[in-house]
Amino acid sequence: MSKVHSCRDLEIFVYVEDTDFQGIVYHANYLKYFERARSSCLRDLDISQSEEIKAGKVFIIKTINIEFMRPAEIEDNLIISSEIEYLSNARLFFHQQIKRNASDDIICKGKVEVCFYDQKKNKPVAFPKKLLKNL
Amino acid sequence: MSKVHSCRDLEIFVYVEDTDFQGIVYHANYLKYFERARSSCLRDLDISQSEEIKAGKVFIIKTINIEFMRPAEIEDNLIISSEIEYLSNARLFFHQQIKRNASDDIICKGKVEVCFYDQKKNKPVAFPKKLLKNL
Amino acid sequence: MSKVHSCRDLEIFVYVEDTDFQGIVYHANYLKYFERARSSCLRDLDISQSEEIKAGKVFIIKTINIEFMRPAEIEDNLIISSEIEYLSNARLFFHQQIKRNASDDIICKGKVEVCFYDQKKNKPVAFPKKLLKNL
Amino acid sequence: MSKVHSCRDLEIFVYVEDTDFQGIVYHANYLKYFERARSSCLRDLDISQSEEIKAGKVFIIKTINIEFMRPAEIEDNLIISSEIEYLSNARLFFHQQIKRNASDDIICKGKVEVCFYDQKKNKPVAFPKKLLKNL
């Protein structure tokens, strides 16, 4: 049975590096914003990616579905909200959403499937016990 | 009724900038590779994005679905292949795939929905006639 | 005669996107960190780049000198400190430095020459009066 | 005594990802172009960064001086030319320049100091013998 964990919102300010010649945020950069929010959430759950990689273990993305509603622009304050949907000890989905802070405008929505990978064994493994316990 | 156009393959070499601390290509960079292949394909179809924006018109992404099979690494030669599925004069899908050149290993697959947008009128419009004619 | 303005420090957390296969922050990303700090400083001085571009005016970089002391790593907390050296109403230097938060380790130092450019007149112009007044 | 090696030119096409809201190439991306040209040059000199890192050895940048003359834009074809100035077996400079292909317009010029680093010994070491021999 699935469980859901709500992550703390992450606030992101849009800088020049994030924009493109269309005057809006380059589409692939929303994936970076989503990743920042997931990494922050993992840290809140006491997971350190720099510790895990010392044991040869990394978080890997399997699938992403993303829907773009309206563009973000330079100097926007964005709020990234994320929920973890826990399906099994080897399968998680992050449901993520980006809003402009000053309004309720949704910029984009995404669903990201994450697994945990042992680079030495060369195969997916169960998530860290600490993560499973804290969810 | 839908039509399909096959784009010319694009070859991409993986540089340091593309990788992350896991020793593999950072996931969001595959979206950049896909976009390079779409832009190259549009140019082959005689579309210039720098010309279009002078008239306030830009290509906008609506949805992306992407599936990651195996990671690419630094110094890999990748082949991006793309097909345009034409649904109507305001709706296109790109079906895209990344392979390692030296093998038949599929790195990832994506489906990208693109529309055309008039920044002055602030609404989606039909694709450029030249594009529709050349498809 | 030159004047100096001290900007507020900017705190930056190092995410996966910032790193490369060497396990450290990709060198060009320090320029992004510097730019984030300059943009934040300009905002503190009441300058909005999104407002300026509506009048066709943009900040342009002329030269950068950067020295890399030691690498930053994923999950590092960095502090970007910046000082504006004002030389004339068309010439500014930012002296910028990145430190690891938890220590006094200097990651890198840079000197960035900035001018202001009128895209319609196609030439450098004096900085916004508001900026000159607030320095 | 210093020696100089001329690298093969690298051609780069400017994609959407490279641009910013000012309608030009984002300044930090020229450093990426420089790095692509250096990596390509190293490969021509029979150096593989993926091989070197297996032995814990990486190329590290010490200093960069860069001068920006005029902006590159989307759909530009750029030519990156590079020369290696060899000073000692632990110190190299790359002198690099970016031109627009269709003209002799210089976009920017840079000087990049590179050393070689042993991540296990935690100190700079002599460049690979193969590189020194092939210069």
Side-chain angles (χ1 to χ4, degrees):
Chain A
M1 214 188 66
S2 81
K3 285 192 298 183
V4 171
H5 170 83
S6 289
C7 303
R8 208 154 36 105
D9 286 350
L10 181 69
E11 206 171 325
I12 286 176
F13 185 76
V14 177
Y15 289 106
V16 182
E17 67 187 87
D18 299 307
T19 60
D20 68 24
F21 82 111
Q22 301 181 344
I24 57 178
V25 169
Y26 181 66
H27 73 283
N29 291 336
Y30 296 114
L31 291 200
K32 293 186 175 180
Y33 298 167
F34 279 150
E35 188 270 319
R36 293 183 201 174
R38 291 195 304 275
S39 287
S40 297
C41 187
L42 288 173
R43 280 180 70 81
D44 283 346
L45 291 163
D46 206 21
I47 299 298
S48 158
Q49 294 181 72
S50 59
E51 285 305 313
E52 295 299 340
I53 203 173
K54 285 176 193 160
K57 288 175 184 163
V58 293
F59 290 89
I60 292 283
I61 295 168
K62 299 283 289 173
T63 61
I64 294 179
N65 297 315
I66 184 164
E67 189 183 350
F68 302 94
M69 273 79 165
R70 52 176 65 76
E73 290 175 21
I74 190 162
E75 296 175 347
D76 272 346
N77 270 298
L78 304 177
I79 299 292
I80 325 300
S81 55
S82 311
E83 296 207 324
I84 300 178
E85 182 190 3
Y86 164 79
L87 288 177
S88 74
N89 66 6
R91 203 167 180 222
L92 287 183
F93 285 94
F94 280 84
H95 298 263
Q96 303 189 275
Q97 186 176 276
I98 303 178
K99 279 193 181 179
R100 199 171 277 119
N101 198 5
S103 68
D104 270 340
D105 288 353
I106 299 177
I107 304 294
C108 69
K109 280 183 193 180
K111 186 176 161 186
V112 181
E113 184 184 2
V114 173
C115 73
F116 199 54
Y117 198 86
D118 188 319
Q119 294 186 321
K120 287 168 186 164
K121 293 183 184 162
N122 222 14
K123 63 175 191 178
V125 291
F127 292 112
K129 277 181 197 151
K130 235 186 332 189
L131 174 60
L132 297 173
K133 201 189 69 185
N134 289 344
L135 275 181
Chain B
M1 215 186 70
S2 82
K3 286 192 300 183
V4 171
H5 170 84
S6 288
C7 303
R8 209 153 36 104
D9 285 351
L10 181 70
E11 206 171 322
I12 286 176
F13 185 76
V14 177
Y15 289 107
V16 181
E17 68 188 86
D18 299 307
T19 60
D20 68 24
F21 82 110
Q22 300 181 344
I24 58 178
V25 169
Y26 181 65
H27 73 284
N29 291 335
Y30 297 112
L31 291 200
K32 294 186 176 183
Y33 297 169
F34 280 151
E35 188 271 318
R36 293 182 201 175
R38 291 195 305 273
S39 287
S40 297
C41 187
L42 287 174
R43 280 180 70 81
D44 283 346
L45 291 163
D46 206 22
I47 299 297
S48 158
Q49 294 180 72
S50 59
E51 285 305 314
E52 295 299 340
I53 203 173
K54 285 177 193 161
K57 288 175 183 163
V58 293
F59 290 89
I60 292 282
I61 295 168
K62 298 283 290 173
T63 60
I64 294 179
N65 296 315
I66 185 164
E67 191 183 348
F68 302 93
M69 273 81 164
R70 53 175 66 73
E73 290 175 20
I74 191 162
E75 296 175 348
D76 273 346
N77 269 298
L78 304 177
I79 299 291
I80 325 300
S81 55
S82 310
E83 296 207 323
I84 300 179
E85 183 189 2
Y86 164 80
L87 287 177
S88 74
N89 64 5
R91 203 165 180 224
L92 287 183
F93 285 94
F94 280 83
H95 298 263
Q96 305 190 273
Q97 187 176 275
I98 302 179
K99 278 191 180 180
R100 201 171 276 120
N101 198 6
S103 69
D104 271 339
D105 287 353
I106 298 178
I107 304 292
C108 68
K109 282 183 191 180
K111 185 176 160 187
V112 181
E113 183 183 3
V114 173
C115 74
F116 199 54
Y117 198 85
D118 188 319
Q119 293 187 321
K120 287 166 187 167
K121 291 182 184 164
N122 223 13
K123 63 173 192 179
V125 290
F127 292 112
K129 276 180 196 155
K130 237 185 335 189
L131 175 59
L132 297 173
K133 201 190 71 186
N134 288 345
L135 275 182
Chain C
M1 214 187 69
S2 81
K3 287 192 298 185
V4 171
H5 170 84
S6 288
C7 303
R8 207 153 36 104
D9 285 352
L10 182 69
E11 207 171 324
I12 285 176
F13 185 76
V14 177
Y15 289 105
V16 182
E17 67 187 88
D18 300 307
T19 60
D20 67 25
F21 82 111
Q22 300 181 343
I24 58 178
V25 169
Y26 181 65
H27 73 283
N29 291 336
Y30 297 114
L31 291 200
K32 294 187 176 180
Y33 298 167
F34 280 151
E35 189 270 319
R36 293 183 201 173
R38 291 194 305 275
S39 287
S40 297
C41 188
L42 287 173
R43 280 181 70 81
D44 283 345
L45 292 163
D46 205 21
I47 300 297
S48 157
Q49 295 181 72
S50 60
E51 285 305 313
E52 294 299 339
I53 203 172
K54 285 177 193 161
K57 288 174 184 163
V58 292
F59 290 89
I60 292 284
I61 294 169
K62 299 283 289 175
T63 61
I64 295 179
N65 297 315
I66 185 164
E67 190 183 349
F68 302 93
M69 272 80 165
R70 52 176 65 74
E73 291 174 21
I74 191 163
E75 296 175 349
D76 273 346
N77 269 299
L78 305 177
I79 300 291
I80 325 299
S81 54
S82 311
E83 295 208 323
I84 301 179
E85 181 189 4
Y86 164 79
L87 287 177
S88 74
N89 65 4
R91 202 166 182 224
L92 288 183
F93 285 94
F94 280 84
H95 298 263
Q96 303 189 274
Q97 187 176 274
I98 303 179
K99 279 192 181 179
R100 200 171 277 119
N101 198 5
S103 68
D104 271 340
D105 287 353
I106 299 178
I107 304 293
C108 68
K109 281 184 194 181
K111 185 176 162 186
V112 181
E113 184 183 2
V114 173
C115 73
F116 199 53
Y117 198 86
D118 188 319
Q119 293 187 321
K120 287 168 186 165
K121 292 184 183 162
N122 222 14
K123 63 174 191 180
V125 291
F127 291 111
K129 276 180 196 152
K130 236 184 335 188
L131 175 59
L132 297 174
K133 201 190 71 187
N134 288 344
L135 274 181
Chain D
M1 214 187 69
S2 82
K3 285 192 299 183
V4 171
H5 170 83
S6 288
C7 303
R8 211 155 30 108
D9 285 351
L10 181 69
E11 208 171 321
I12 285 176
F13 186 76
V14 177
Y15 289 106
V16 181
E17 68 187 85
D18 300 307
T19 61
D20 68 25
F21 82 111
Q22 303 181 343
I24 59 179
V25 169
Y26 181 65
H27 73 282
N29 291 336
Y30 296 113
L31 291 201
K32 294 187 175 181
Y33 298 168
F34 279 151
E35 188 270 318
R36 293 183 201 174
R38 291 193 306 273
S39 287
S40 297
C41 187
L42 287 173
R43 280 181 71 81
D44 283 346
L45 292 163
D46 206 21
I47 300 298
S48 158
Q49 295 181 71
S50 59
E51 286 304 314
E52 295 298 339
I53 203 171
K54 285 177 195 162
K57 289 176 183 163
V58 293
F59 290 90
I60 292 283
I61 294 169
K62 298 283 289 174
T63 60
I64 294 180
N65 296 315
I66 184 164
E67 190 183 349
F68 302 94
M69 274 79 164
R70 53 176 66 73
E73 290 174 21
I74 190 163
E75 296 175 348
D76 273 344
N77 270 298
L78 304 176
I79 299 291
I80 325 300
S81 55
S82 310
E83 295 208 324
I84 301 179
E85 183 189 1
Y86 164 80
L87 288 176
S88 74
N89 65 6
R91 201 165 182 225
L92 287 184
F93 285 93
F94 280 84
H95 298 263
Q96 304 189 274
Q97 187 176 274
I98 303 180
K99 279 191 180 180
R100 200 171 276 120
N101 198 6
S103 69
D104 271 341
D105 288 354
I106 299 177
I107 304 294
C108 69
K109 282 183 192 179
K111 186 176 161 187
V112 181
E113 185 183 2
V114 174
C115 73
F116 200 54
Y117 197 87
D118 187 319
Q119 294 186 321
K120 286 167 188 166
K121 292 183 183 162
N122 222 11
K123 63 174 191 178
V125 290
F127 291 112
K129 277 181 195 153
K130 238 186 332 189
L131 175 60
L132 298 173
K133 201 189 71 184
N134 289 344
L135 274 181

